[in-house]
Amino acid sequence: MHAFSINPDATVAGLNLPASEAQSAIQEYLGSDAVDQGVYHPRAVLHLHGNGRNLGLPQNLAAWALASAWRGMPLYPLAGPIVVTGRTESGDLTTLDDDLVQHAKAVAQTVRDTLTEWRARPPASNEAAVNELLAYAARDVASRRQ
């Protein structure tokens, strides 16, 4: 089963998970038996380290921006690497649809570009930064809808 990871540095990497052992492969990849699942899009599942924030794993802005754009509102912070899989109507894990992969890649690239730009021109406030990233992510997701 094809999935991908979104890393705290806003890079995206493809993963091939064994269909029959996908959950254990995700646990191994994230380094935790405690894996939380977030459904922010009806056809996708974000798999998060269950204790990532408590352990001080780095914030994952790209995954946060993507999940927020899919949900249509700002969400709580996400931390550490995150695995994204597809989701069937019955809730089973499956390969992620190509349009959703493109959403993730576009949002991650936008986050990398925005963070680079902020080094030269920092946002006026945290609220301005959040609003800017959310607007860009929403644009990326809307422009790639099928």
Side-chain angles (χ1 to χ4, degrees):
M1 170 176 51
H2 186 69
F4 68 92
S5 66
I6 304 174
N7 301 301
D9 65 358
T11 56
V12 175
L15 301 172
N16 286 313
L17 305 174
S20 62
E21 298 291 326
Q23 197 61 40
S24 62
I26 291 167
Q27 290 172 333
E28 184 176 330
Y29 183 84
L30 295 177
S32 176
D33 289 339
V35 174
D36 292 337
Q37 295 182 342
V39 179
Y40 307 103
H41 189 284
R43 294 182 287 132
V45 178
L46 273 67
H47 306 267
L48 313 115
H49 189 296
N51 298 314
R53 287 184 58 198
N54 292 339
L55 293 173
L57 295 181
Q59 189 171 4
N60 193 323
L61 287 176
W64 169 82
L66 176 65
S68 295
W70 279 346
R71 185 54 66 90
M73 59 186 279
L75 299 172
Y76 45 84
L78 303 177
I82 293 171
V83 174
V84 184
T85 62
R87 180 178 180 269
T88 66
E89 285 185 20
S90 63
D92 294 328
L93 302 184
T94 189
T95 294
L96 193 68
D97 292 337
D98 287 340
D99 62 326
L100 300 183
V101 172
Q102 292 309 311
H103 289 178
K105 289 180 178 180
V107 169
Q109 182 64 53
T110 294
V111 168
R112 288 192 306 273
D113 293 346
T114 302
L115 292 175
T116 298
E117 183 180 316
W118 284 351
R119 287 186 193 100
R121 181 201 52 86
S125 66
N126 189 48
E127 182 180 355
V130 165
N131 290 337
E132 185 175 354
L133 270 181
L134 288 178
Y136 292 154
R139 174 205 63 203
D140 290 343
V141 167
S143 69
R144 286 165 177 77
R145 289 217 161 113
Q146 293 183 343

